[in-house]
Amino acid sequence: MRTAVIPSLALLLSCSLSGSVLATELAQPSAKAMAKLEALYLHLHQNPELSYQEKASSERIANELKALGFEVTSNIGGYGVVGVLKNGEGPTVMIRADMDALPITEATGKSYASKVKTLNTSNQEVGVMHGCGHDIHMTSLVGSAEQLVANIHKWQGTLMMVAQPAEEVGGGAKAMLKQGLFKDFATPDYILGLHVSASLPAGKVGVTSGYALANVDSVDITVKGLGGHGAYPHLTKDPVVLASRIVLALQTIASRELSPLEPNVITVGSIHGGSKHNIISNEVKLQLTLRSYNPEVRLQQIEALKRLTAGIAMSAGLDESLYPEVYVHEDERIPSTYNNPELAAKVRASIETELGIDNVVAAEPVMAGEDFGLYGLTSDKRPITLFWLGAVEPEAYEKSITTGKSLPSLHSSQFAPDYPKTLNTGVRAMSKAALDLFNQ
């Protein structure tokens, strides 16, 4: 996940930040469970693990679910965990949380800050931090499991708890599905997830109907040329100039080739070429991120990208053998997350009943990516909904509104959730949504 939800400012300002706590059936037992859950959160926060390295986190979640009576299977799609609890005839509800942390050195100054360092895939030492809230997600998963077990006499069906690895690199959901998540365990009737928001105050929840998160593609472009001396550019085919033309021309894909009603983004995040002031190099490398909601728009972006880069090379007089190479990392592709509108409406109604209508807002779609969307793209198109869980300390949120000063975003070294209030809200919201789906 690479950004936070952006709710309607008018909606947020119309809602009280303090929000009264409703005396629901889940309120008191959830409050009683908080001491244990906060301890679990602090443990997970202080022991983060990078993508595909989530061994200890996986073991801890598996043990928590086993203690609650779930039939648990580990090492699915890497370090993925599946816990199944069958409770008679009824629908199957799946709740998913992700486990991996980020290569960030924490700079929150909190007494419980992560001090973990490890080696990344390039054998470089990096700090490790739960800068995207996956520690909140895991703890909320356990807390929701606990509440649903405690209320087992109030529902019937199959509860499926999934702790997923490698969300940050877009590989975990794909790997778990490939290993038979929906074939060997249970086929969900409903799939729920939550994600912390760095732009919503703790105690509030945001729900999006329809497209909630974007298609994400990583694209490498190798721009070729004919190098030479910087003093004799007329004897070369300068790839730096070609790359510069490409960077500017790429923006016409969104502005002139795609419908203005279709949201999409093409960003060049990296450009590298050359080695010295007076040398014209033979190639320049570009790295891009492509974002969209509609799958057809994604295909249009890629086709236009290939055609446009080839056309610029042709206009410079390069032979076809020296046309740019466009490589789309299909293995890292993240599809858009489409919240089933009917399910999203049910989830919103449930959470409003539990937390109060003033504590639930309509959240706008964002161009961030989340591989949660893959669970809804299986052959039988399972209905999914992921909602946003406010994580910002309310006073800090109110101050940011007053001063206009930006809050630390997701993936920031300074992102520090108001974890007690966030966890309580997440457990109550998810537990109530699942209970109502079992009993509809």
Side-chain angles (χ1 to χ4, degrees):
M1 176 71 62
R2 291 176 172 78
T3 190
V5 64
I6 305 173
S8 166
L9 183 59
L11 280 171
L12 279 179
L13 292 177
S14 69
C15 298
S16 166
L17 286 176
S18 58
S20 60
V21 177
L22 297 183
T24 66
E25 292 185 21
L26 287 169
Q28 187 174 2
S30 295
K32 287 183 177 179
M34 280 304 112
K36 178 184 174 184
L37 290 177
E38 288 175 25
L40 174 60
Y41 167 80
L42 292 174
H43 170 80
L44 294 169
H45 185 83
Q46 293 176 317
N47 295 277
E49 297 169 297
L50 295 179
S51 305
Y52 297 118
Q53 298 178 21
E54 311 94 336
K55 184 175 186 293
S57 300
S58 171
E59 290 175 353
R60 180 62 185 265
I61 300 304
N63 289 335
E64 294 284 347
L65 293 176
K66 287 176 184 176
L68 290 169
F70 285 78
E71 182 180 340
V72 177
T73 306
S74 299
N75 301 322
I76 304 299
Y79 287 115
V81 177
V82 180
V84 177
L85 183 65
K86 296 181 179 179
N87 185 33
E89 294 296 324
T92 296
V93 177
M94 171 180 147
I95 300 175
R96 171 270 202 176
D98 35 15
M99 298 186 290
D100 51 332
L102 291 158
I104 299 172
T105 299
E106 183 166 351
T108 61
K110 300 292 185 181
S111 60
Y112 55 85
S114 168
K115 296 178 174 60
V116 173
K117 294 185 181 297
T118 191
L119 297 179
N120 63 14
T121 54
S122 301
N123 210 36
Q124 300 170 320
E125 186 178 71
V126 294
V128 188
M129 175 191 177
H130 272 299
C132 201
H134 295 188
D135 44 1
I136 292 282
H137 303 174
M138 287 185 279
T139 308
S140 296
L141 181 86
V142 172
S144 299
E146 185 176 12
Q147 293 305 314
L148 289 166
V149 168
N151 288 278
I152 199 166
H153 58 289
K154 297 180 181 177
W155 59 272
Q156 283 187 281
T158 298
L159 177 59
M160 184 176 177
M161 309 301 276
V162 174
Q164 179 206 301
E167 183 276 329
E168 294 293 354
V169 294
K174 191 181 302 181
M176 294 192 79
L177 288 166
K178 185 177 181 181
Q179 197 167 327
L181 178 64
F182 290 174
K183 296 177 182 177
D184 298 340
F185 299 96
T187 302
D189 294 292
Y190 308 103
I191 302 169
L192 302 178
L194 58 75
H195 201 295
V196 298
S197 166
S199 59
L200 268 177
K204 295 193 183 294
V205 166
V207 181
T208 307
S209 180
Y211 284 116
L213 294 118
N215 295 304
V216 180
D217 281 286
S218 296
V219 179
D220 295 338
I221 303 177
T222 301
V223 182
K224 301 178 183 180
L226 297 172
H229 199 296
Y232 313 112
H234 58 294
L235 301 178
T236 71
K237 301 291 185 184
D238 191 340
V240 172
V241 173
L242 292 175
S244 300
R245 290 176 59 191
I246 287 171
V247 169
L248 293 177
L250 290 178
Q251 303 313 310
T252 65
I253 296 174
S255 67
R256 289 296 178 269
E257 295 201 34
L258 297 171
S259 168
L261 302 179
E262 292 283 3
N264 68 96
V265 172
I266 298 178
T267 295
V268 179
S270 172
I271 178 168
H272 291 279
S275 60
K276 198 174 184 295
H277 304 75
N278 62 350
I279 298 174
I280 293 174
S281 63
N282 287 316
E283 68 177 31
V284 172
K285 292 186 178 294
L286 306 177
Q287 292 180 309
L288 289 70
T289 185
L290 275 56
R291 310 278 169 135
S292 63
Y293 295 129
N294 188 335
E296 293 183 5
V297 170
R298 170 188 177 263
L299 295 176
Q300 287 178 285
Q301 286 178 316
I302 294 170
E303 187 280 328
L305 194 66
K306 293 178 178 179
R307 171 175 42 78
L308 185 147
T309 55
I312 289 176
M314 179 187 298
S315 72
L318 286 169
D319 294 334
E320 188 172 350
S321 61
L322 292 177
Y323 285 3
E325 294 179 0
V326 178
Y327 179 74
V328 181
H329 291 265
E330 291 287 351
D331 58 329
E332 297 180 10
R333 178 201 169 197
I334 298 174
S336 55
T337 293
Y338 183 82
N339 282 347
N340 178 276
E342 182 179 355
L343 179 57
K346 291 178 180 178
V347 168
R348 178 168 182 168
S350 295
I351 299 175
E352 287 177 346
T353 300
E354 180 62 30
L355 302 179
I357 193 169
D358 288 346
N359 288 318
V360 185
V361 301
E364 297 177 0
V366 296
M367 279 290 175
E370 237 281 6
D371 67 0
F372 180 79
L374 276 166
Y375 296 116
L377 293 179
T378 53
S379 58
D380 47 1
K381 301 283 186 181
R382 301 286 89 192
I384 68 172
T385 288
L386 181 146
F387 61 84
W388 296 99
L389 181 62
V392 181
E393 198 281 320
E395 289 185 7
Y397 176 82
E398 190 171 17
K399 185 177 180 180
S400 76
I401 296 295
T402 303
T403 64
K405 184 178 180 180
S406 297
L407 294 161
S409 66
L410 297 179
H411 291 218
S412 164
S413 63
Q414 296 182 334
F415 175 64
D418 180 355
Y419 67 87
K421 194 174 185 68
T422 302
L423 287 172
N424 184 274
T425 304
V427 169
R428 291 177 63 192
M430 184 62 80
S431 300
K432 178 61 174 173
L435 278 170
D436 285 354
L437 288 173
F438 280 122
N439 290 309
Q440 63 179 345

